[in-house]
Amino acid sequence: MKLKTILIGILMLSLSTQGLVAQQTQNLAEKLGYDKDAKLLIIHADDLGLSHGTNSAVISAFNKGGITSGSIMVPCPWFPEIASFAKTNPKADIGIHLTLTSEWENYKFGPVTSADLVPSLQNKQGYFYPTVEAFGAKANPAEVEKELRAQIERAMAFGIHPTHFDNHMGSVMVNPAFYQILLKLGHEYRVPVLAPKDMLLAAAPQFLEQIAKDNVLVDHLFMLNQAPVAGNWLQPYREFVENMQPGLNQIIVHLAYDNDESRAVMIHHDDFGAQWRQNDYDLMTSDKMKRLLSDNNIKLVTWRQIKNVMYPANEQ
Amino acid sequence: MKLKTILIGILMLSLSTQGLVAQQTQNLAEKLGYDKDAKLLIIHADDLGLSHGTNSAVISAFNKGGITSGSIMVPCPWFPEIASFAKTNPKADIGIHLTLTSEWENYKFGPVTSADLVPSLQNKQGYFYPTVEAFGAKANPAEVEKELRAQIERAMAFGIHPTHFDNHMGSVMVNPAFYQILLKLGHEYRVPVLAPKDMLLAAAPQFLEQIAKDNVLVDHLFMLNQAPVAGNWLQPYREFVENMQPGLNQIIVHLAYDNDESRAVMIHHDDFGAQWRQNDYDLMTSDKMKRLLSDNNIKLVTWRQIKNVMYPANEQ
């Protein structure tokens, strides 16, 4: 028995060493079956579950191939609707958009955790803080961890197998301790965490090396932050795509139909408002976007592929 | 000091005895300035705060004089929107629709109280139970009281001065102990509670006399429970109005615009669905409904008027 255990141990060590050697010799693109200079791109919709107008636009965009990936806000009231889509479409590339802020004026949500266990995450009204600054000033790390775990566990209880974790409004970036919690949970649940190289270099350069050692980094992340002038919604995306470098890239989009519900959710928000989200939906599902990607030889990839590289199923 | 206290005591007793005598000699209609045989009617919209499509239809119906009253579901995500309307329209007759169930398929809400303090009110997913039966089988009275208090306190923290309390899906009627809690809270907060004579006679005849002693009863309550045949939405309402008896009557309506959001909230519910709610909205804001009421000499009243009778401001 003992000998057998030792032999299995040696075998596993050998397999794992082989894996390590292979990992060192192949870059991500090669591991995914592409040339090593391939420009890989994830087109990712944020805020799934936020509202019905978001869910229906996102589902349509998945069906039309306009996005490769998306992530779900578990605390939102429309979470069950998108969870049901995720469960009945297990191939859809869906992660968890871990949420610690509630930014809209008339439409609010709060912690999944029992409220008295996470007082530092709530304003006086019992909802999440509306801004990253207010969240950063009040939140305590143990409560952040408790709430992130509760969101992950609820998503899994709804039958979701998340392909990745990311974070609403980048709130965890406000404090390196919060981001470390996210990374820790990623390793614990064997789920990749969005680790944007550009942003980490700016926000936490001291951790970059360590993070890069244990995670697949997104080399370049693009998210529209300002509405393009003269209504040319394609232009900033074209600029990013035409200048894209080899490696792993991600575009974050915000999709929703511009209808009564969306306009009421996003009232007084021109940025990331209802019209903005309709524009993103229209562009991502358009032929001109598809042409832009193929003209520039962009390889669309998913977080599930990254997950399979970081956490191969046979190692589970 | 002691004599002064006794004198104030005697004075208060005397005022209260006078009040009692006046109460015995005038019926509700007379106290509200009508003939004693007047047919009083509250037209009441339920489910305020449920969704944006509900809030906007209800606000429009208030503005058009199609309803006299409404009540708010505090646990719903759109509560802040309707709370803001209530705060900026202090004359609008708005109460609290105390909520202990979450019946829609893809759109969910749960307790306002910290979740671990009210485990008996939540299903495995952490939301309220979808049916009154499941709620009734699991809920414990101390937790029901805790949650009702939390909803009242949150509403008041948002600047709402509720004119009445009622209850979503009649869930508290499942157990006399629950309904007693509601009545107790009404007296404590000096807010009238919907006490429908017909229903109480059927559900808890043993309590009727006691309830009648301490509360203003609604003599006849009408709520559409089945869609009228051949699309004649007016017909059941006309029947109720034409047969209305003197005393206090209430019609409960469910208003929302039949749009994407409403259809998604109410998916798989024909009864009380999106089309149903649009029909109620259309009818309540129509000229034919107004004509029906005036032809039958119906006096529209509000819960605020009942509140002023039950709890005169000078007794507060």
Side-chain angles (χ1 to χ4, degrees), chain A residues 180-231:
Chain A
Q180 297 276 20
I181 293 167
L182 186 53
L183 291 171
K184 182 180 84 171
L185 292 174
H187 290 293
E188 187 182 322
Y189 285 94
R190 301 176 62 80
V191 168
V193 168
L194 171 60
K197 197 171 170 185
D198 299 339
M199 285 174 72
L200 289 169
L201 205 55
Q206 69 277 30
F207 298 119
L208 188 62
E209 200 179 333
Q210 178 61 37
I211 293 171
K213 206 167 73 68
D214 297 331
N215 299 276
V216 171
L217 298 188
V218 169
D219 297 300
H220 299 289
L221 182 72
F222 176 71
M223 185 173 98
L224 197 61
N225 269 311
Q226 201 176 0
V229 286

Side-chain angles (χ1 to χ4, degrees), chain A residues 65-232:
Chain A
I67 52 174
T68 69
S69 305
S71 58
I72 297 183
M73 300 172 76
V74 179
C76 293
W78 286 101
F79 162 69
E81 182 180 54
I82 198 72
S84 162
F85 170 78
K87 203 175 165 183
T88 51
N89 293 272
K91 288 186 179 167
D93 189 49
I94 289 181
I96 306 181
H97 199 49
L98 292 154
T99 298
L100 298 160
T101 44
S102 176
E103 74 271 40
W104 309 110
E105 200 171 309
N106 289 325
Y107 179 74
K108 290 287 181 189
F109 31 85
V112 164
T113 315
S114 193
D116 61 353
L117 303 179
V118 289
S120 77
L121 306 185
Q122 300 157 77
N123 67 6
K124 271 189 235 160
Q125 300 176 329
Y127 302 121
F128 287 133
Y129 286 101
T131 64
V132 172
E133 292 67 30
F135 159 77
K138 301 284 186 178
N140 106 29
E143 295 180 18
V144 167
E145 178 166 348
K146 211 173 279 180
E147 175 60 16
L148 298 187
R149 271 185 199 283
Q151 293 182 17
I152 295 166
E153 291 293 329
R154 180 173 288 187
M156 290 169 58
F158 269 77
I160 297 172
H161 301 287
T163 60
H164 62 293
F165 295 155
D166 55 22
N167 164 240
H168 187 51
M169 297 170 72
S171 57
V172 296
M173 289 291 187
V174 83
N175 182 337
F178 298 161
Y179 190 64
Q180 297 276 20
I181 293 167
L182 186 53
L183 291 171
K184 182 180 84 171
L185 292 174
H187 290 293
E188 187 182 322
Y189 285 94
R190 301 176 62 80
V191 168
V193 168
L194 171 60
K197 197 171 170 185
D198 299 339
M199 285 174 72
L200 289 169
L201 205 55
Q206 69 277 30
F207 298 119
L208 188 62
E209 200 179 333
Q210 178 61 37
I211 293 171
K213 206 167 73 68
D214 297 331
N215 299 276
V216 171
L217 298 188
V218 169
D219 297 300
H220 299 289
L221 182 72
F222 176 71
M223 185 173 98
L224 197 61
N225 269 311
Q226 201 176 0
V229 286
N232 184 356

Side-chain angles (χ1 to χ4, degrees), chain A residues 270-283:
Chain A
D270 287 341
D271 287 352
F272 304 102
Q275 179 63 57
W276 176 301
R277 288 169 194 246
Q278 178 78 51
N279 291 347
D280 260 4
Y281 169 81
D282 290 343
L283 182 64

Side-chain angles (χ1 to χ4, degrees), chain B residues 122-158:
Chain B
Q122 301 157 76
N123 66 7
K124 271 189 238 162
Q125 300 175 330
Y127 301 121
F128 287 133
Y129 286 100
T131 64
V132 172
E133 292 67 31
F135 159 77
K138 301 283 186 177
N140 107 28
E143 295 180 20
V144 166
E145 178 165 347
K146 210 171 282 180
E147 175 60 17
L148 299 187
R149 272 185 199 283
Q151 293 182 17
I152 294 165
E153 291 294 329
R154 180 173 288 187
M156 290 170 58
F158 270 76

Side-chain angles (χ1 to χ4, degrees), chain B residues 14-297:
Chain B
S14 142
L15 282 172
S16 129
T17 312
Q18 278 179 3
L20 202 64
V21 171
Q23 242 175 315
Q24 281 167 346
T25 53
Q26 281 194 311
N27 76 2
L28 178 70
E30 291 169 305
K31 283 178 202 157
L32 299 184
Y34 296 110
D35 291 344
K36 80 167 186 274
D37 290 339
K39 297 170 184 175
L40 310 176
L41 175 64
I42 296 167
I43 305 182
H44 188 279
D46 278 10
D47 300 356
L48 280 59
L50 170 63
S51 62
H52 175 65
T54 301
N55 289 347
S56 41
V58 163
I59 291 169
S60 165
F62 266 125
N63 291 337
K64 292 180 172 182
I67 52 175
T68 69
S69 304
S71 58
I72 296 183
M73 299 172 77
V74 179
C76 294
W78 285 101
F79 161 70
E81 182 180 53
I82 197 72
S84 162
F85 170 79
K87 203 176 164 183
T88 53
N89 293 271
K91 289 185 179 167
D93 189 49
I94 289 181
I96 306 181
H97 198 48
L98 292 153
T99 299
L100 298 160
T101 44
S102 176
E103 74 271 40
W104 310 110
E105 199 171 310
N106 288 325
Y107 179 72
K108 289 288 181 188
F109 31 87
V112 164
T113 316
S114 194
D116 60 353
L117 304 179
V118 290
S120 77
L121 306 186
Q122 301 157 76
N123 66 7
K124 271 189 238 162
Q125 300 175 330
Y127 301 121
F128 287 133
Y129 286 100
T131 64
V132 172
E133 292 67 31
F135 159 77
K138 301 283 186 177
N140 107 28
E143 295 180 20
V144 166
E145 178 165 347
K146 210 171 282 180
E147 175 60 17
L148 299 187
R149 272 185 199 283
Q151 293 182 17
I152 294 165
E153 291 294 329
R154 180 173 288 187
M156 290 170 58
F158 270 76
I160 296 172
H161 302 286
T163 61
H164 62 292
F165 295 156
D166 55 22
N167 163 241
H168 187 52
M169 297 170 73
S171 57
V172 295
M173 290 291 186
V174 84
N175 181 337
F178 298 161
Y179 189 64
Q180 297 277 19
I181 294 167
L182 186 53
L183 291 171
K184 182 180 84 171
L185 292 173
H187 290 293
E188 185 182 322
Y189 285 94
R190 301 176 62 79
V191 168
V193 168
L194 170 61
K197 196 171 170 183
D198 300 338
M199 283 175 73
L200 289 169
L201 206 55
Q206 69 277 30
F207 298 119
L208 189 61
E209 200 180 331
Q210 178 61 36
I211 294 172
K213 205 166 74 64
D214 298 331
N215 299 276
V216 172
L217 298 188
V218 169
D219 297 301
H220 298 290
L221 182 72
F222 176 71
M223 186 174 97
L224 196 60
N225 269 310
Q226 201 175 1
V229 286
N232 184 355
W233 209 256
L234 177 63
Q235 190 272 332
Y237 291 104
R238 177 160 48 205
E239 204 167 295
F240 179 70
V241 170
E242 290 181 344
N243 293 306
M244 198 181 290
Q245 299 301 306
L248 181 58
N249 299 277
Q250 176 165 320
I251 291 178
I252 292 180
V253 293
H254 295 85
L255 311 184
Y257 293 127
D258 178 16
N259 59 18
D260 274 359
E261 182 202 16
S262 298
R263 285 191 289 272
V265 170
M266 291 133 199
I267 194 169
H268 302 147
H269 280 72
D270 287 341
D271 288 352
F272 304 102
Q275 180 62 57
W276 176 301
R277 288 168 194 247
Q278 179 77 51
N279 291 347
D280 259 4
Y281 169 81
D282 290 343
L283 182 64
M284 292 306 134
T285 57
S286 71
D287 288 339
K288 61 184 173 187
M289 186 70 194
K290 288 195 174 66
R291 219 164 27 241
L292 175 69
L293 298 172
S294 66
D295 286 354
N296 287 277
N297 199 23

